[in-house]
Amino acid sequence: QQKKAKQEKEFEAGLKVGDKIITKSGLHGKVSEIAETTVVIETMSGKLKMERSAISLELTAALNKKA
């Protein structure tokens, strides 16, 4: 569990503008702005501000592996 928590923290810290991501709730988007604890993602319907912790490590990794 600690290993997984560490991976999630490193993933959140490594996010950068332009990264394609998937949230834990299933929303797909691209990071357009990054703040200390939040990110703004651009989706097909507009921009959404959310917590960094709402981004799924596993789903995003799978998305980027396919591309």
PDB file of all heavy atoms in Angstrom, residues 33-62:
ATOM      1  N   GLU A  33      -3.544  23.638 -17.282  1.00  0.00           N
ATOM      2  CA  GLU A  33      -2.946  24.482 -16.246  1.00  0.00           C
ATOM      3  C   GLU A  33      -2.686  23.624 -15.023  1.00  0.00           C
ATOM      4  O   GLU A  33      -3.421  22.679 -14.760  1.00  0.00           O
ATOM      5  CB  GLU A  33      -3.896  25.607 -15.811  1.00  0.00           C
ATOM      6  CG  GLU A  33      -4.214  26.623 -16.871  1.00  0.00           C
ATOM      7  CD  GLU A  33      -5.265  27.625 -16.406  1.00  0.00           C
ATOM      8  OE1 GLU A  33      -5.261  27.978 -15.200  1.00  0.00           O
ATOM      9  OE2 GLU A  33      -6.099  28.021 -17.231  1.00  0.00           O
ATOM     10  N   ILE A  34      -1.627  23.976 -14.266  1.00  0.00           N
ATOM     11  CA  ILE A  34      -1.307  23.231 -13.055  1.00  0.00           C
ATOM     12  C   ILE A  34      -1.072  24.213 -11.916  1.00  0.00           C
ATOM     13  O   ILE A  34      -0.314  25.165 -12.062  1.00  0.00           O
ATOM     14  CB  ILE A  34      -0.051  22.361 -13.245  1.00  0.00           C
ATOM     15  CG1 ILE A  34      -0.284  21.325 -14.347  1.00  0.00           C
ATOM     16  CG2 ILE A  34       0.337  21.673 -11.949  1.00  0.00           C
ATOM     17  CD1 ILE A  34       0.913  20.461 -14.653  1.00  0.00           C
ATOM     18  N   ALA A  35      -1.742  23.966 -10.784  1.00  0.00           N
ATOM     19  CA  ALA A  35      -1.508  24.736  -9.562  1.00  0.00           C
ATOM     20  C   ALA A  35      -0.945  23.756  -8.523  1.00  0.00           C
ATOM     21  O   ALA A  35      -0.701  22.593  -8.840  1.00  0.00           O
ATOM     22  CB  ALA A  35      -2.804  25.364  -9.076  1.00  0.00           C
ATOM     23  N   GLU A  36      -0.777  24.226  -7.299  1.00  0.00           N
ATOM     24  CA  GLU A  36      -0.159  23.381  -6.278  1.00  0.00           C
ATOM     25  C   GLU A  36      -0.950  22.096  -6.023  1.00  0.00           C
ATOM     26  O   GLU A  36      -0.381  21.015  -6.017  1.00  0.00           O
ATOM     27  CB  GLU A  36      -0.020  24.169  -4.978  1.00  0.00           C
ATOM     28  CG  GLU A  36       0.899  23.499  -3.984  1.00  0.00           C
ATOM     29  CD  GLU A  36       1.208  24.408  -2.808  1.00  0.00           C
ATOM     30  OE1 GLU A  36       1.462  25.602  -3.025  1.00  0.00           O
ATOM     31  OE2 GLU A  36       1.173  23.902  -1.685  1.00  0.00           O
ATOM     32  N   THR A  37      -2.258  22.210  -5.822  1.00  0.00           N
ATOM     33  CA  THR A  37      -3.056  21.015  -5.526  1.00  0.00           C
ATOM     34  C   THR A  37      -4.117  20.720  -6.576  1.00  0.00           C
ATOM     35  O   THR A  37      -4.800  19.714  -6.488  1.00  0.00           O
ATOM     36  CB  THR A  37      -3.771  21.151  -4.159  1.00  0.00           C
ATOM     37  OG1 THR A  37      -4.620  22.298  -4.207  1.00  0.00           O
ATOM     38  CG2 THR A  37      -2.766  21.282  -3.029  1.00  0.00           C
ATOM     39  N   THR A  38      -4.262  21.607  -7.555  1.00  0.00           N
ATOM     40  CA  THR A  38      -5.303  21.415  -8.563  1.00  0.00           C
ATOM     41  C   THR A  38      -4.720  21.449  -9.973  1.00  0.00           C
ATOM     42  O   THR A  38      -3.601  21.898 -10.179  1.00  0.00           O
ATOM     43  CB  THR A  38      -6.381  22.518  -8.470  1.00  0.00           C
ATOM     44  OG1 THR A  38      -5.770  23.781  -8.689  1.00  0.00           O
ATOM     45  CG2 THR A  38      -7.086  22.501  -7.124  1.00  0.00           C
ATOM     46  N   VAL A  39      -5.513  20.943 -10.908  1.00  0.00           N
ATOM     47  CA  VAL A  39      -5.170  21.038 -12.325  1.00  0.00           C
ATOM     48  C   VAL A  39      -6.414  21.485 -13.077  1.00  0.00           C
ATOM     49  O   VAL A  39      -7.527  21.266 -12.625  1.00  0.00           O
ATOM     50  CB  VAL A  39      -4.681  19.691 -12.930  1.00  0.00           C
ATOM     51  CG1 VAL A  39      -3.384  19.256 -12.328  1.00  0.00           C
ATOM     52  CG2 VAL A  39      -5.717  18.612 -12.796  1.00  0.00           C
ATOM     53  N   VAL A  40      -6.215  22.122 -14.204  1.00  0.00           N
ATOM     54  CA  VAL A  40      -7.322  22.460 -15.098  1.00  0.00           C
ATOM     55  C   VAL A  40      -7.146  21.555 -16.307  1.00  0.00           C
ATOM     56  O   VAL A  40      -6.079  21.525 -16.916  1.00  0.00           O
ATOM     57  CB  VAL A  40      -7.306  23.945 -15.515  1.00  0.00           C
ATOM     58  CG1 VAL A  40      -8.382  24.225 -16.549  1.00  0.00           C
ATOM     59  CG2 VAL A  40      -7.478  24.833 -14.304  1.00  0.00           C
ATOM     60  N   ILE A  41      -8.192  20.761 -16.597  1.00  0.00           N
ATOM     61  CA  ILE A  41      -8.108  19.899 -17.763  1.00  0.00           C
ATOM     62  C   ILE A  41      -9.062  20.393 -18.841  1.00  0.00           C
ATOM     63  O   ILE A  41     -10.128  20.914 -18.540  1.00  0.00           O
ATOM     64  CB  ILE A  41      -8.361  18.410 -17.437  1.00  0.00           C
ATOM     65  CG1 ILE A  41      -9.785  18.173 -16.950  1.00  0.00           C
ATOM     66  CG2 ILE A  41      -7.358  17.885 -16.456  1.00  0.00           C
ATOM     67  CD1 ILE A  41     -10.169  16.712 -16.938  1.00  0.00           C
ATOM     68  N   GLU A  42      -8.628  20.253 -20.065  1.00  0.00           N
ATOM     69  CA  GLU A  42      -9.421  20.656 -21.216  1.00  0.00           C
ATOM     70  C   GLU A  42     -10.093  19.404 -21.760  1.00  0.00           C
ATOM     71  O   GLU A  42      -9.431  18.411 -22.058  1.00  0.00           O
ATOM     72  CB  GLU A  42      -8.489  21.258 -22.262  1.00  0.00           C
ATOM     73  CG  GLU A  42      -9.167  22.163 -23.224  1.00  0.00           C
ATOM     74  CD  GLU A  42      -8.148  22.904 -24.088  1.00  0.00           C
ATOM     75  OE1 GLU A  42      -7.085  23.293 -23.571  1.00  0.00           O
ATOM     76  OE2 GLU A  42      -8.454  23.060 -25.276  1.00  0.00           O
ATOM     77  N   THR A  43     -11.420  19.449 -21.856  1.00  0.00           N
ATOM     78  CA  THR A  43     -12.177  18.324 -22.398  1.00  0.00           C
ATOM     79  C   THR A  43     -12.893  18.803 -23.661  1.00  0.00           C
ATOM     80  O   THR A  43     -12.796  19.969 -24.022  1.00  0.00           O
ATOM     81  CB  THR A  43     -13.225  17.820 -21.383  1.00  0.00           C
ATOM     82  OG1 THR A  43     -14.182  18.851 -21.163  1.00  0.00           O
ATOM     83  CG2 THR A  43     -12.577  17.426 -20.065  1.00  0.00           C
ATOM     84  N   MET A  44     -13.616  17.906 -24.283  1.00  0.00           N
ATOM     85  CA  MET A  44     -14.358  18.277 -25.490  1.00  0.00           C
ATOM     86  C   MET A  44     -15.429  19.331 -25.193  1.00  0.00           C
ATOM     87  O   MET A  44     -15.810  20.088 -26.063  1.00  0.00           O
ATOM     88  CB  MET A  44     -15.036  17.041 -26.099  1.00  0.00           C
ATOM     89  CG  MET A  44     -14.037  16.007 -26.579  1.00  0.00           C
ATOM     90  SD  MET A  44     -13.086  16.559 -27.978  1.00  0.00           S
ATOM     91  CE  MET A  44     -14.185  16.144 -29.288  1.00  0.00           C
ATOM     92  N   SER A  45     -15.899  19.387 -23.928  1.00  0.00           N
ATOM     93  CA  SER A  45     -16.969  20.323 -23.600  1.00  0.00           C
ATOM     94  C   SER A  45     -16.489  21.574 -22.862  1.00  0.00           C
ATOM     95  O   SER A  45     -17.297  22.378 -22.445  1.00  0.00           O
ATOM     96  CB  SER A  45     -18.031  19.615 -22.757  1.00  0.00           C
ATOM     97  OG  SER A  45     -17.451  19.121 -21.574  1.00  0.00           O
ATOM     98  N   GLY A  46     -15.186  21.726 -22.687  1.00  0.00           N
ATOM     99  CA  GLY A  46     -14.680  22.915 -22.017  1.00  0.00           C
ATOM    100  C   GLY A  46     -13.578  22.582 -21.028  1.00  0.00           C
ATOM    101  O   GLY A  46     -12.991  21.507 -21.075  1.00  0.00           O
ATOM    102  N   LYS A  47     -13.324  23.519 -20.123  1.00  0.00           N
ATOM    103  CA  LYS A  47     -12.261  23.329 -19.135  1.00  0.00           C
ATOM    104  C   LYS A  47     -12.862  23.028 -17.765  1.00  0.00           C
ATOM    105  O   LYS A  47     -13.869  23.616 -17.390  1.00  0.00           O
ATOM    106  CB  LYS A  47     -11.381  24.576 -19.054  1.00  0.00           C
ATOM    107  CG  LYS A  47     -10.559  24.806 -20.294  1.00  0.00           C
ATOM    108  CD  LYS A  47      -9.634  25.980 -20.125  1.00  0.00           C
ATOM    109  CE  LYS A  47      -8.774  26.154 -21.367  1.00  0.00           C
ATOM    110  NZ  LYS A  47      -7.811  27.249 -21.207  1.00  0.00           N
ATOM    111  N   LEU A  48     -12.201  22.130 -17.034  1.00  0.00           N
ATOM    112  CA  LEU A  48     -12.645  21.746 -15.695  1.00  0.00           C
ATOM    113  C   LEU A  48     -11.481  21.845 -14.732  1.00  0.00           C
ATOM    114  O   LEU A  48     -10.370  21.410 -15.046  1.00  0.00           O
ATOM    115  CB  LEU A  48     -13.146  20.300 -15.693  1.00  0.00           C
ATOM    116  CG  LEU A  48     -14.290  19.953 -16.642  1.00  0.00           C
ATOM    117  CD1 LEU A  48     -14.462  18.446 -16.702  1.00  0.00           C
ATOM    118  CD2 LEU A  48     -15.556  20.608 -16.162  1.00  0.00           C
ATOM    119  N   LYS A  49     -11.750  22.400 -13.548  1.00  0.00           N
ATOM    120  CA  LYS A  49     -10.720  22.470 -12.509  1.00  0.00           C
ATOM    121  C   LYS A  49     -10.971  21.343 -11.530  1.00  0.00           C
ATOM    122  O   LYS A  49     -12.097  21.150 -11.067  1.00  0.00           O
ATOM    123  CB  LYS A  49     -10.800  23.820 -11.790  1.00  0.00           C
ATOM    124  CG  LYS A  49      -9.730  24.020 -10.759  1.00  0.00           C
ATOM    125  CD  LYS A  49      -9.824  25.420 -10.179  1.00  0.00           C
ATOM    126  CE  LYS A  49      -8.668  25.708  -9.267  1.00  0.00           C
ATOM    127  NZ  LYS A  49      -8.689  27.111  -8.814  1.00  0.00           N
ATOM    128  N   MET A  50      -9.935  20.565 -11.234  1.00  0.00           N
ATOM    129  CA  MET A  50     -10.097  19.456 -10.292  1.00  0.00           C
ATOM    130  C   MET A  50      -8.835  19.233  -9.487  1.00  0.00           C
ATOM    131  O   MET A  50      -7.778  19.758  -9.810  1.00  0.00           O
ATOM    132  CB  MET A  50     -10.523  18.180 -11.002  1.00  0.00           C
ATOM    133  CG  MET A  50      -9.861  17.876 -12.288  1.00  0.00           C
ATOM    134  SD  MET A  50     -10.534  16.448 -13.158  1.00  0.00           S
ATOM    135  CE  MET A  50     -12.208  16.362 -12.665  1.00  0.00           C
ATOM    136  N   GLU A  51      -8.961  18.434  -8.445  1.00  0.00           N
ATOM    137  CA  GLU A  51      -7.822  18.096  -7.604  1.00  0.00           C
ATOM    138  C   GLU A  51      -6.880  17.180  -8.361  1.00  0.00           C
ATOM    139  O   GLU A  51      -7.312  16.337  -9.141  1.00  0.00           O
ATOM    140  CB  GLU A  51      -8.294  17.374  -6.330  1.00  0.00           C
ATOM    141  CG  GLU A  51      -9.127  18.222  -5.410  1.00  0.00           C
ATOM    142  CD  GLU A  51      -8.343  19.368  -4.800  1.00  0.00           C
ATOM    143  OE1 GLU A  51      -7.196  19.150  -4.355  1.00  0.00           O
ATOM    144  OE2 GLU A  51      -8.880  20.486  -4.791  1.00  0.00           O
ATOM    145  N   ARG A  52      -5.584  17.312  -8.104  1.00  0.00           N
ATOM    146  CA  ARG A  52      -4.605  16.426  -8.738  1.00  0.00           C
ATOM    147  C   ARG A  52      -4.876  14.973  -8.375  1.00  0.00           C
ATOM    148  O   ARG A  52      -4.666  14.085  -9.179  1.00  0.00           O
ATOM    149  CB  ARG A  52      -3.195  16.778  -8.279  1.00  0.00           C
ATOM    150  CG  ARG A  52      -2.604  17.968  -8.950  1.00  0.00           C
ATOM    151  CD  ARG A  52      -1.173  18.118  -8.514  1.00  0.00           C
ATOM    152  NE  ARG A  52      -0.574  19.280  -9.142  1.00  0.00           N
ATOM    153  CZ  ARG A  52       0.706  19.369  -9.418  1.00  0.00           C
ATOM    154  NH1 ARG A  52       1.523  18.411  -9.094  1.00  0.00           N
ATOM    155  NH2 ARG A  52       1.177  20.450  -9.995  1.00  0.00           N
ATOM    156  N   SER A  53      -5.341  14.753  -7.157  1.00  0.00           N
ATOM    157  CA  SER A  53      -5.573  13.387  -6.684  1.00  0.00           C
ATOM    158  C   SER A  53      -6.726  12.695  -7.417  1.00  0.00           C
ATOM    159  O   SER A  53      -6.893  11.490  -7.305  1.00  0.00           O
ATOM    160  CB  SER A  53      -5.842  13.384  -5.181  1.00  0.00           C
ATOM    161  OG  SER A  53      -6.976  14.170  -4.888  1.00  0.00           O
ATOM    162  N   ALA A  54      -7.518  13.448  -8.190  1.00  0.00           N
ATOM    163  CA  ALA A  54      -8.637  12.865  -8.934  1.00  0.00           C
ATOM    164  C   ALA A  54      -8.189  12.232 -10.244  1.00  0.00           C
ATOM    165  O   ALA A  54      -8.983  11.615 -10.944  1.00  0.00           O
ATOM    166  CB  ALA A  54      -9.691  13.927  -9.217  1.00  0.00           C
ATOM    167  N   ILE A  55      -6.904  12.344 -10.567  1.00  0.00           N
ATOM    168  CA  ILE A  55      -6.393  11.765 -11.812  1.00  0.00           C
ATOM    169  C   ILE A  55      -5.913  10.351 -11.554  1.00  0.00           C
ATOM    170  O   ILE A  55      -5.176  10.099 -10.604  1.00  0.00           O
ATOM    171  CB  ILE A  55      -5.263  12.642 -12.395  1.00  0.00           C
ATOM    172  CG1 ILE A  55      -5.831  14.035 -12.704  1.00  0.00           C
ATOM    173  CG2 ILE A  55      -4.673  12.014 -13.648  1.00  0.00           C
ATOM    174  CD1 ILE A  55      -4.793  15.055 -13.059  1.00  0.00           C
ATOM    175  N   SER A  56      -6.349   9.438 -12.386  1.00  0.00           N
ATOM    176  CA  SER A  56      -6.039   8.018 -12.201  1.00  0.00           C
ATOM    177  C   SER A  56      -4.685   7.647 -12.797  1.00  0.00           C
ATOM    178  O   SER A  56      -4.453   7.827 -13.991  1.00  0.00           O
ATOM    179  CB  SER A  56      -7.129   7.165 -12.849  1.00  0.00           C
ATOM    180  OG  SER A  56      -6.738   5.814 -12.852  1.00  0.00           O
ATOM    181  N   LEU A  57      -3.829   7.102 -11.965  1.00  0.00           N
ATOM    182  CA  LEU A  57      -2.505   6.653 -12.402  1.00  0.00           C
ATOM    183  C   LEU A  57      -2.636   5.506 -13.402  1.00  0.00           C
ATOM    184  O   LEU A  57      -2.034   5.530 -14.465  1.00  0.00           O
ATOM    185  CB  LEU A  57      -1.690   6.212 -11.178  1.00  0.00           C
ATOM    186  CG  LEU A  57      -0.373   5.488 -11.425  1.00  0.00           C
ATOM    187  CD1 LEU A  57       0.618   6.379 -12.151  1.00  0.00           C
ATOM    188  CD2 LEU A  57       0.230   5.013 -10.123  1.00  0.00           C
ATOM    189  N   GLU A  58      -3.438   4.490 -13.067  1.00  0.00           N
ATOM    190  CA  GLU A  58      -3.544   3.301 -13.911  1.00  0.00           C
ATOM    191  C   GLU A  58      -4.199   3.607 -15.255  1.00  0.00           C
ATOM    192  O   GLU A  58      -3.695   3.204 -16.297  1.00  0.00           O
ATOM    193  CB  GLU A  58      -4.350   2.193 -13.204  1.00  0.00           C
ATOM    194  CG  GLU A  58      -3.674   1.594 -11.999  1.00  0.00           C
ATOM    195  CD  GLU A  58      -3.925   2.379 -10.715  1.00  0.00           C
ATOM    196  OE1 GLU A  58      -4.762   3.315 -10.730  1.00  0.00           O
ATOM    197  OE2 GLU A  58      -3.265   2.070  -9.717  1.00  0.00           O
ATOM    198  N   LEU A  59      -5.315   4.322 -15.248  1.00  0.00           N
ATOM    199  CA  LEU A  59      -6.022   4.608 -16.494  1.00  0.00           C
ATOM    200  C   LEU A  59      -5.205   5.513 -17.405  1.00  0.00           C
ATOM    201  O   LEU A  59      -5.167   5.321 -18.617  1.00  0.00           O
ATOM    202  CB  LEU A  59      -7.382   5.247 -16.203  1.00  0.00           C
ATOM    203  CG  LEU A  59      -8.409   4.350 -15.509  1.00  0.00           C
ATOM    204  CD1 LEU A  59      -9.655   5.144 -15.145  1.00  0.00           C
ATOM    205  CD2 LEU A  59      -8.767   3.172 -16.369  1.00  0.00           C
ATOM    206  N   THR A  60      -4.516   6.478 -16.829  1.00  0.00           N
ATOM    207  CA  THR A  60      -3.687   7.378 -17.627  1.00  0.00           C
ATOM    208  C   THR A  60      -2.503   6.635 -18.233  1.00  0.00           C
ATOM    209  O   THR A  60      -2.161   6.843 -19.388  1.00  0.00           O
ATOM    210  CB  THR A  60      -3.212   8.566 -16.764  1.00  0.00           C
ATOM    211  OG1 THR A  60      -4.375   9.265 -16.299  1.00  0.00           O
ATOM    212  CG2 THR A  60      -2.347   9.517 -17.561  1.00  0.00           C
ATOM    213  N   ALA A  61      -1.895   5.742 -17.462  1.00  0.00           N
ATOM    214  CA  ALA A  61      -0.770   4.951 -17.963  1.00  0.00           C
ATOM    215  C   ALA A  61      -1.230   4.078 -19.119  1.00  0.00           C
ATOM    216  O   ALA A  61      -0.538   3.961 -20.139  1.00  0.00           O
ATOM    217  CB  ALA A  61      -0.185   4.095 -16.842  1.00  0.00           C
ATOM    218  N   ALA A  62      -2.406   3.476 -19.001  1.00  0.00           N
ATOM    219  CA  ALA A  62      -2.947   2.628 -20.066  1.00  0.00           C
ATOM    220  C   ALA A  62      -3.237   3.457 -21.319  1.00  0.00           C
ATOM    221  O   ALA A  62      -2.957   3.031 -22.430  1.00  0.00           O
ATOM    222  CB  ALA A  62      -4.215   1.936 -19.584  1.00  0.00           C
TER     223      ALA A  62
END
